Amino acid sequence: MLSGAEAMVKCLEEEGVELVFGYPGAAICPFYDALYHSSIRHVLVRSEQNAAHMASGYARAAGRPGVCIATSGPGATNLITGIATAYMDSIPIIAITGQVNLEQLGRDVFQEADITGACESFTKHSYLVTSAEDLPRVFREAFHIAATGRPGPVLIDVPQDVQEQLLERFRYPEKADIIGYKPNLSGHPMQIKKAAQAIGSAKRPVICCGGGVVLAGAREEMNRFARKTGIPVVSTMMGLGAMSNTGSSWEIGAGQEGVAYLGMIGKFGRSYANRAIGEADLILLCGARVGDRAIALPNQIAEQAKIIHIDVDPAEIGKNMRVDIPIVGDIRQVLTALEEQVQPVDCLEWRQQVMQYKNQFVPRGEDREDAVEPRSFLRTLSRLMDEDAILAADPGQCQIWAAINFTQRSGRFLTSGGLGTMGYALPAALGAKLAKPRRQVVAICGDGAFQMSLSELAVICACHVQLKIIVMDNRRLGMVREYQNLRYGGRHIATHMDGNPDFVALCKAYGIPAALAENNAQAEELAREMLAAHTPYVLVCRVDPETPSI
């Protein structure tokens, strides 16, 4: 016989889980006691929110659900922001929370919180387990739901007495059979045929890669499709890294003039990428919901272009932009089927036109001697880092600087695109590094965001993780300050980071090597030192507070 807690651990082992992130408490102690006897590695975080972010970074790097754990009450509620962050970006995580005893539910006892109710709007599904006998089924379903269809977080809330119950027999289901949950993956053949015909007759087509391409692992299929058709490609912020990008303007395919990759669209994207979208007569949306930061006036675009939208989640299709040809299905399968039916598109003149737009663009930001210019520094950093490096950026100016200046080649770009959660980069990068310890992983944080998660420096030390962190120190909440300049007449309130610590000294107090760069020449020299170090390293860059996002 097994206790419920032992069954929970065994379920994780059955799912091949090797690493979990958590913070214990009384209501989850039975589970932790059972974990003591398992080979599963546990990482003790310093804040439950960061446990969810680490699970998210782990999931994005490893390609399978990350697991985070918290106790009841404040432990569970501290997970909420991390769960919501994963939900908005469709990241598969399993959040396991302890709960008060069954007979105490609804009585407002010590550390009781209705976490399943609190998370209802931003979990893909949630469970309140009332019998230990249900645990194998619940865990099997949870991992299946999190990782299939449109990925997302699943919450499992387990009362303490359920963890202490005994199971007569443990049997882990071979598969999950959930009534009403059957994601459509293949795409409707007639819709695929219609899309192929529309693509063949287009004169100014554009492919828009969204985060769904990255999540589906469809990078190879997307590049192959783009090369065959010769259609210019743009991406949303979450779609960065979907296209092979060696830094050259053209990627030559067999028998093709070439395919133009134009980079990121949107409010903070490249002007030439936005211009291509605005002039297109057909747009193939692939795993992109085109929210307000990607396309400000989506229906205006849809009036002049035929829209084909491929997404595994039918709720996303047509939500923000009118669609002519909807295709519900897995990006990999649909692109493969579509590639078989399409021929190279006769749009050489169009490709040359959009490439002319791109070639006329002059990157902003030049090296400085009195401060670190972050835009030019990130272009330098991208040349120094490995092709398969993982870069994590915090929302705000760092996110924009990185998204439009760092060249994604065969690596990954991790950021909180949907919720825009400050403090995400450091723990997400830490989770990614633990998933891929041999890969180069760098987190870029503003001084505000860094102070939201710097407690996890202790985890870096405890786990001996060779994570590299860059702190852009401008003593400001830069993005909000820009907004105050734009909308509120330059009246700055609550955006000056008075009282910032000496970040170099602080990092050294943790035993982490750190250095300060006060201009671009120093930043490049120290970045080389940082990337070569066989230890964690924090590079603090002194940035002019007047430096804009774009």
Side-chain angles (χ1 to χ4, degrees):
M1 295 178 71
L2 294 177
S3 69
E6 291 169 330
M8 292 164 68
V9 173
K10 193 166 181 60
C11 289
L12 294 178
E13 292 172 341
E14 291 284 345
E15 288 290 343
V17 174
E18 300 174 347
L19 182 68
V20 296
F21 307 91
Y23 204 101
I28 196 67
C29 261
F31 170 82
Y32 270 89
D33 185 59
L35 193 63
Y36 179 85
H37 304 284
S38 172
S39 63
I40 296 173
R41 181 184 178 189
H42 179 273
V43 173
L44 176 62
V45 301
R46 298 311 190 255
S47 166
E48 291 92 349
Q49 177 175 315
N50 291 327
H53 292 331
M54 288 183 202
S56 174
Y58 180 92
R60 295 174 75 170
R64 57 181 181 271
V67 179
C68 56
I69 303 155
T71 191
S72 64
T77 58
N78 281 349
L79 280 179
I80 289 177
T81 297
I83 293 172
T85 301
Y87 180 79
M88 289 291 284
D89 290 336
S90 305
I91 310 302
I93 67 173
I94 304 295
I96 301 170
T97 54
Q99 184 56 276
V100 301
N101 290 341
L102 285 170
E103 64 175 15
Q104 296 175 321
L105 288 173
R107 293 168 55 186
D108 294 333
V109 299
F110 180 67
Q111 289 196 335
E112 180 191 1
D114 178 11
I115 192 62
T116 54
C119 290
E120 183 177 1
S121 63
F122 38 77
T123 49
K124 194 174 178 186
H125 194 64
S126 63
Y127 296 90
L128 173 60
V129 184
T130 58
S131 170
E133 297 290 341
D134 293 333
L135 285 166
R137 173 186 60 81
V138 165
F139 272 74
R140 186 68 187 88
E141 290 180 1
F143 276 85
H144 177 69
I145 291 170
T148 57
R150 177 183 178 179
V154 177
L155 172 71
I156 306 174
D157 193 33
V158 190
Q160 185 173 348
D161 54 349
V162 173
Q163 297 174 52
E164 294 168 344
Q165 288 177 10
L166 297 179
L167 285 79
E168 291 291 336
R169 183 170 64 96
F170 178 90
R171 186 183 70 82
Y172 200 66
E174 291 185 8
K175 64 178 182 178
D177 187 13
I178 307 169
I179 297 174
Y181 181 72
K182 307 291 181 185
N184 182 14
L185 302 179
S186 59
H188 195 284
M190 186 57 68
Q191 294 298 93
I192 293 174
K193 183 178 180 180
K194 287 181 180 179
Q197 292 171 344
I199 291 169
S201 61
K203 297 300 181 185
R204 301 185 308 279
V206 171
I207 298 170
C208 179
C209 288
V213 177
V214 180
L215 292 168
R219 177 190 176 92
E220 180 180 341
E221 288 77 7
M222 176 55 70
N223 280 272
R224 192 171 61 235
F225 181 83
R227 289 191 182 98
K228 179 177 181 179
T229 60
I231 300 174
V233 183
V234 299
S235 69
T236 65
M237 180 180 291
M238 297 307 294
L240 290 172
M243 293 300 299
S244 296
N245 187 3
T246 60
S248 60
S249 298
W250 294 82
E251 293 194 349
I252 306 301
Q256 297 295 310
E257 290 288 344
V259 175
Y261 177 62
L262 304 176
M264 189 176 80
I265 61 170
K267 181 178 180 181
F268 298 104
R270 292 301 193 190
S271 58
Y272 47 83
N274 289 328
R275 186 171 180 180
I277 284 284
E279 296 179 6
D281 65 357
L282 180 142
I283 300 173
L284 178 60
L285 296 176
C286 298
R289 61 171 171 258
V290 289
D292 61 306
R293 293 184 95 194
I295 297 180
L297 300 171
N299 287 325
Q300 181 176 313
I301 298 294
E303 287 178 3
Q304 63 193 43
K306 181 167 286 189
I307 308 298
I308 303 169
H309 196 168
I310 306 170
D311 204 291
V312 74
D313 184 359
E316 289 299 318
I317 295 180
K319 183 166 76 176
N320 293 316
M321 177 183 283
R322 178 186 58 76
V323 173
D324 297 288
I325 304 175
I327 305 176
V328 179
D330 176 75
I331 294 289
R332 295 180 66 182
Q333 295 188 35
V334 173
L335 281 178
T336 300
L338 197 55
E339 184 192 355
E340 293 174 356
Q341 299 189 33
V342 298
Q343 297 299 321
V345 179
D346 182 17
C347 61
L348 176 59
E349 184 178 341
W350 167 242
R351 293 199 302 271
Q352 290 174 338
Q353 183 176 329
V354 296
M355 285 311 301
Q356 185 178 6
Y357 296 158
K358 179 175 181 177
N359 293 334
Q360 290 173 347
F361 179 81
V362 178
R364 295 170 181 167
E366 297 181 355
D367 287 0
R368 294 176 56 166
E369 296 181 357
D370 60 336
V372 176
E373 213 301 325
R375 295 167 294 181
S376 62
F377 171 62
L378 280 161
R379 292 193 289 270
T380 298
L381 182 68
S382 67
R383 294 193 296 269
L384 297 177
M385 288 176 62
D386 297 341
E387 284 201 3
D388 65 348
I390 297 172
L391 183 76
D394 261 312
Q397 289 184 313
C398 286
Q399 184 184 65
I400 309 307
W401 291 331
I404 64 178
N405 291 290
F406 188 92
T407 300
Q408 292 295 324
R409 288 169 285 181
S410 59
R412 290 291 303 275
F413 178 60
L414 310 184
T415 194
S416 172
L419 201 62
T421 307
M422 288 180 66
Y424 174 81
L426 194 162
L430 180 50
K433 183 66 174 177
L434 287 168
K436 299 290 183 181
R438 295 185 180 181
R439 295 267 290 272
Q440 211 174 54
V441 182
V442 175
I444 299 182
C445 317
D447 49 348
F450 181 61
Q451 291 181 83
M452 289 187 173
S453 55
L454 61 79
S455 60
E456 305 307 329
L457 293 175
V459 178
I460 294 173
C461 296
C463 296
H464 308 289
V465 182
Q466 295 179 23
L467 181 66
K468 317 302 182 184
I469 302 168
I470 298 172
V471 180
M472 297 296 188
D473 183 10
N474 62 3
R475 299 294 202 251
R476 302 289 187 273
L477 295 177
M479 185 68 81
V480 182
R481 186 172 181 272
E482 275 191 283
Y483 194 63
Q484 289 173 341
N485 287 337
L486 179 66
R487 296 292 300 273
Y488 300 100
R491 294 184 294 277
H492 301 143
I493 180 170
T495 51
H496 287 217
M497 300 293 289
D498 298 327
N500 270 5
D502 179 337
F503 291 118
V504 172
L506 180 65
C507 293
K508 289 183 176 179
Y510 279 95
I512 296 176
L516 174 66
E518 298 192 277
N519 56 52
N520 283 76
Q522 290 179 4
E524 179 176 352
E525 180 182 353
L526 291 169
R528 292 179 185 276
E529 179 181 308
M530 173 186 75
L531 295 173
H534 296 291
T535 64
Y537 195 110
V538 176
L539 171 57
V540 181
C541 295
R542 188 63 50 78
V543 174
D544 183 344
E546 300 299 327
T547 305
S549 297
I550 58 176

